[in-house]
Amino acid sequence: KQEVTQIPAALSVPEGENLVLNCSFTDSAIYNLQWFRQDPGKGLTSLLLIQSSQREQTSGRLNASLDKSSGRSTLYIAASQPGDSATYLCAVDSGNTPLVFGKGTRLSVIA
Amino acid sequence: DVKVTQSSRYLVKRTGEKVFLECVQDMDHENMFWYRQDPGLGLRLIYFSYDVKMKEKGDIPEGYSVSREKKERFSLILESASTNQTSMYLCASSLQGSYEKLFFGSGTQLSVL
């Protein structure tokens, strides 16, 4: 059974810093991996989707990478801003079941 | 833009009541999902549906049922609400296919007293 882990559970950084959020999964036979953002008390918003054949995807200051063989993905946020403060979740699509989510990393960017 | 609308943002119910949570999407998505989210436990899948009239149990279906009579609407039913069903409930939808993004509603914070 696929398991998704995100470490650390919480992260606090000063404004302007570049940062990396980590996601690991146990079964490398995946179709895609998605990164989501969740603001407190709100639903999730899809940020990036990386197909299994891709190595990375970029959107603005966000860059997500995927290494299937090692079961890892990273979300890189450049020049962090207080508005980036949120919980970031990754989720894996193994093709025959619904997405499996990690528990998320709660990011605080301090002005 | 895809819109997934959950009928209530906040809901307070009493133990034993039958509770209906409604979810409507406007993008003709085949797939619809119900999750609950609790601190420390993350997102847990309750039920999902890949087509009208179809439903599949997720990881924690006990105490819940669902209805999908129309493609755009997926209802979650708490047959007899209990205090341990106090939670944030999130509905989501997507197109079929392996490379489709998942879209979420804003969530319903349910309190069962």
Side-chain angles (χ1 to χ4, degrees):
Chain A
K1 183 182 176 185
Q2 181 73 267
E3 292 183 6
V4 179
T5 303
Q6 293 185 249
I7 295 173
L11 182 64
S12 184
V13 300
E15 182 178 6
E17 194 163 293
N18 301 326
L19 61 100
V20 173
L21 305 180
N22 297 297
C23 172
S24 62
F25 46 95
T26 54
D27 185 349
S28 61
I30 68 170
Y31 279 74
N32 67 65
L33 183 145
Q34 292 186 52
W35 281 94
F36 293 85
R37 169 184 171 139
Q38 186 178 28
D39 293 296
K42 301 286 180 64
L44 282 69
T45 301
S46 181
L47 297 173
L48 291 163
L49 183 151
I50 312 178
Q51 298 178 16
S52 60
S53 58
Q54 297 174 322
R55 296 282 296 182
E56 63 178 53
Q57 278 286 331
T58 298
S59 176
R61 293 182 294 109
L62 305 180
N63 177 277
S65 68
L66 175 64
D67 184 343
K68 268 182 53 177
S69 60
S70 66
R72 293 182 182 179
S73 177
T74 62
L75 179 66
Y76 174 83
I77 302 177
S80 59
Q81 303 170 358
D84 295 328
S85 298
T87 297
Y88 292 82
L89 297 94
C90 69
V92 171
D93 182 355
S94 299
N96 55 356
T97 58
L99 291 183
V100 178
F101 283 84
K103 291 184 178 179
T105 294
R106 189 173 67 253
L107 173 66
S108 297
V109 181
I110 311 301
Chain B
D1 279 356
V2 176
K3 198 161 177 79
V4 180
T5 303
Q6 294 185 230
S7 53
S8 303
R9 187 72 186 87
Y10 299 97
L11 211 52
V12 179
K13 295 293 182 180
R14 296 205 176 274
T15 303
E17 278 192 76
K18 190 168 186 176
V19 180
F20 292 86
L21 301 183
E22 306 286 346
C23 176
V24 177
Q25 48 90 8
D26 66 356
M27 284 302 291
D28 205 34
H29 286 175
E30 295 88 359
N31 304 336
M32 296 189 76
F33 307 85
W34 274 107
Y35 295 88
R36 65 176 283 177
Q37 186 176 35
D38 302 284
L41 297 178
L43 277 167
R44 292 182 290 169
L45 182 63
I46 305 171
Y47 268 97
F48 59 102
S49 169
Y50 288 152
D51 203 351
V52 177
K53 306 275 186 184
M54 188 213 153
K55 60 185 178 185
E56 295 279 350
K57 292 181 179 179
D59 298 319
I60 52 163
E62 297 78 18
Y64 303 93
S65 63
V66 290
S67 172
R68 194 165 181 202
E69 295 296 317
K70 293 185 178 181
K71 190 175 185 180
E72 67 270 18
R73 186 180 297 269
F74 193 36
S75 303
L76 180 69
I77 304 155
L78 286 66
E79 298 290 344
S80 177
S82 62
T83 55
N84 63 13
Q85 292 179 310
T86 291
S87 185
M88 169 69 92
Y89 289 87
L90 292 163
C91 175
S93 72
S94 71
L95 288 168
Q96 282 186 353
S98 299
Y99 307 114
E100 301 295 337
K101 288 186 176 181
L102 190 61
F103 295 86
F104 279 83
S106 298
T108 295
Q109 180 61 53
L110 173 67
S111 297
V112 182
L113 306 177

